[in-house]
Amino acid sequence: MLIRTLYDVIVVGAGSMGMSAGYHLAKQGVRTLLIDTFDPPHQEGSHHGEPRLIRHAYHGGPAYVSMALRAHKLWNELEDATESSLLVQSGVLNMSSSKVYSYEERLKDSLQFGVPIELLDADEIAKRWPGIRLPEDFAGMYEPEAGYLFSEKCVGAYRQLALAAGATLLPYTRVESIGADHSGVSVYTQHGVFHAEKAILSAGAWFKTLEPFITLPIQSVRKVVGWFQSESPLFDAGDFPGFTLGTVEGGFYGFPSIGGAGVKIGRHDQGVLWQPGEPIEPFGTYADDEADLRRALETYMPAAAGKLIRGAVCKYEMTPDEDFIIDHHPAYPNILLAGGFSGHGFKFSSVVGEILSDLIMKQETTQDISPFAISRFSNPV
């Protein structure tokens, strides 16, 4: 197949954010090229191992809450456009020890945006979800309209629509280098050189491979998740919500047992540093891969701490403050950077794609992206 070499916008990294941006561009008639080292959706990034939580009463302030609500609307539009089920409004129960976290700020922000929430104590949580056992110092914040997304299906749905709208996708194409000036961008790959007026770089955990063209304070981290046999129907989808769990031992998140797959649980903090190009160690390489997850279940959801059904490894792309980077390249205003989504970004990928499309074509967005400016870090190059 003959591939053109001249485009309006090149998107480097066609995972969660990049594929969404590609769709939002292509549907406007923008000549869009999506380049990815693999074949999205795939298992080499941060979007595999469904599902992912989507919450609205979000930590981090009003910018996040506004984006979460817009993201939810766009996910619903994607479902309608592809006639598929991508988002389940299971509700999300956030639980935390008072020694770790307070929900006061989130309560204020949720009231500002009209997000429905319920504040619950440990006894109320136990009555509503008998599989949960919390100490008295724990509090809960329940979001009935939140839920979870089937992440790989979401990326696949955006791929379907982007290609149908005229975007070109080059899978299995490694970017070797990038050249740019204020009038254009050239992307060098093993399959040729591609040119465009503008570019979006959304390489996820693989951003380091784009150095020295751009060096960002993003650290790639190996993370693990596990699915554990759980007592039915206490933890079954339809009866049990998605959850977050803040404890003195660590921060965890998880999902009900979907179709008998078992309760899925992961740990948000910690992890093992990983460098792009290095082999990533499989689940079970470290004793704590399973032990950390099992201890959390045994302590707070003992009836969900059955045998390990399966484990998986994924990658986080962490910034020092765990906030995103959505900004122009410091030297080239015709290049946008989208990275550092720090293990909590997938839910926003629908709206981040819209933001990137608006910024690259209109130089503006209706969302407040000031918290994501690259200038908050010293010496980005």
Side-chain angles (χ1 to χ4, degrees):
M1 181 176 65
L2 183 64
I3 302 294
R4 68 160 63 221
T5 59
L6 182 61
Y7 294 84
D8 298 322
V9 179
I10 296 175
V11 179
V12 175
S16 310
M17 312 300 166
M19 195 66 79
S20 173
Y23 162 68
H24 285 288
L25 289 166
K27 75 174 183 177
Q28 301 175 65
V30 177
R31 293 177 302 171
T32 305
L33 174 65
L34 294 149
I35 300 177
D36 200 273
T37 306
F38 306 101
D39 188 14
H42 52 71
Q43 296 188 4
E44 301 297 334
S46 302
H47 61 256
H48 79 283
E50 297 173 325
R52 296 291 188 277
L53 292 176
I54 179 166
R55 296 172 287 147
H56 308 127
Y58 211 76
H59 64 87
Y64 276 112
V65 180
S66 175
M67 286 174 60
L69 292 170
R70 177 61 180 165
H72 193 123
K73 184 175 188 298
L74 291 173
W75 290 124
N76 288 153
E77 291 179 4
L78 182 62
E79 288 182 307
D80 292 342
T82 56
E83 298 182 345
S84 55
S85 177
L86 304 173
L87 192 162
V88 176
Q89 287 185 258
S90 63
V92 172
L93 176 63
N94 304 278
M95 301 168 281
S96 181
S97 165
S98 60
K99 301 171 186 174
V100 174
Y101 191 78
S102 167
Y103 294 111
E104 289 182 9
E105 285 299 313
R106 282 205 237 179
L107 175 60
K108 181 181 68 175
D109 292 337
S110 66
L111 291 173
Q112 176 185 343
F113 285 89
V115 177
I117 64 168
E118 299 177 53
L119 298 180
L120 306 170
D121 62 25
D123 288 339
E124 291 170 320
I125 290 171
K127 290 174 184 175
R128 191 174 301 189
W129 297 283
I132 300 175
R133 295 287 182 268
L134 298 177
E136 290 185 0
D137 73 303
F138 272 63
M141 184 182 72
Y142 179 60
E143 300 179 57
E145 295 184 358
Y148 51 85
L149 294 153
F150 294 107
S151 52
E152 294 171 42
K153 288 176 65 177
C154 290
V155 174
Y158 270 134
R159 172 176 173 155
Q160 172 192 332
L161 293 186
L163 297 182
T168 299
L169 171 64
L170 283 184
Y172 303 115
T173 302
R174 187 182 69 258
V175 171
E176 297 172 342
S177 63
I178 300 173
D181 57 30
H182 293 282
S183 61
V185 183
S186 297
V187 179
Y188 297 80
T189 80
Q190 82 269 33
H191 294 143
V193 184
F194 301 92
H195 309 277
E197 295 178 11
K198 304 171 182 180
I200 297 170
L201 309 184
S202 54
W206 296 80
F207 247 106
K208 191 169 285 293
T209 64
L210 302 183
E211 296 179 355
F213 183 74
I214 183 64
T215 301
L216 296 175
I218 293 176
Q219 185 68 253
S220 300
V221 181
R222 171 191 180 272
K223 305 292 291 187
V224 298
V225 293
W227 285 258
F228 290 81
Q229 191 171 63
S230 52
E231 186 176 322
S232 179
L234 290 179
F235 299 95
D236 290 352
D239 295 307
F240 196 74
F243 64 88
T244 67
L245 181 63
T247 77
V248 293
E249 298 86 12
F252 301 84
Y253 62 92
F255 305 84
S257 178
I258 301 169
V263 166
K264 176 186 174 183
I265 185 171
R267 183 167 180 172
H268 179 70
D269 56 335
Q270 294 193 341
V272 178
L273 297 182
W274 173 80
Q275 295 295 328
E278 293 181 353
I280 192 160
E281 296 158 317
F283 186 95
T285 300
Y286 302 96
D288 280 347
D289 285 352
E290 178 180 348
D292 268 357
L293 307 180
R294 180 173 294 283
R295 276 193 294 268
L297 290 176
E298 287 176 342
T299 303
Y300 302 102
M301 303 177 197
K307 72 174 182 179
L308 177 71
I309 297 173
R310 73 181 181 100
V313 176
C314 65
K315 304 174 185 76
Y316 275 17
E317 36 157 338
M318 305 293 292
T319 61
D321 59 10
E322 298 191 20
D323 286 324
F324 310 155
I325 295 172
I326 303 174
D327 204 349
H328 294 88
H329 190 292
Y332 304 108
N334 54 334
I335 298 178
L336 283 177
L337 309 172
F341 291 97
S342 299
H344 65 114
F346 183 86
K347 65 183 71 65
F348 297 102
S349 54
S350 58
V351 70
V352 169
E354 181 181 63
I355 289 168
L356 295 171
S357 173
D358 287 344
L359 284 175
I360 205 77
M361 301 308 298
K362 305 173 187 175
Q363 292 74 54
E364 62 180 5
T365 173
T366 58
Q367 297 293 327
D368 176 15
I369 59 170
S370 58
F372 314 128
I374 196 173
S375 58
R376 72 187 193 272
F377 304 113
S378 61
N379 301 321
V381 295

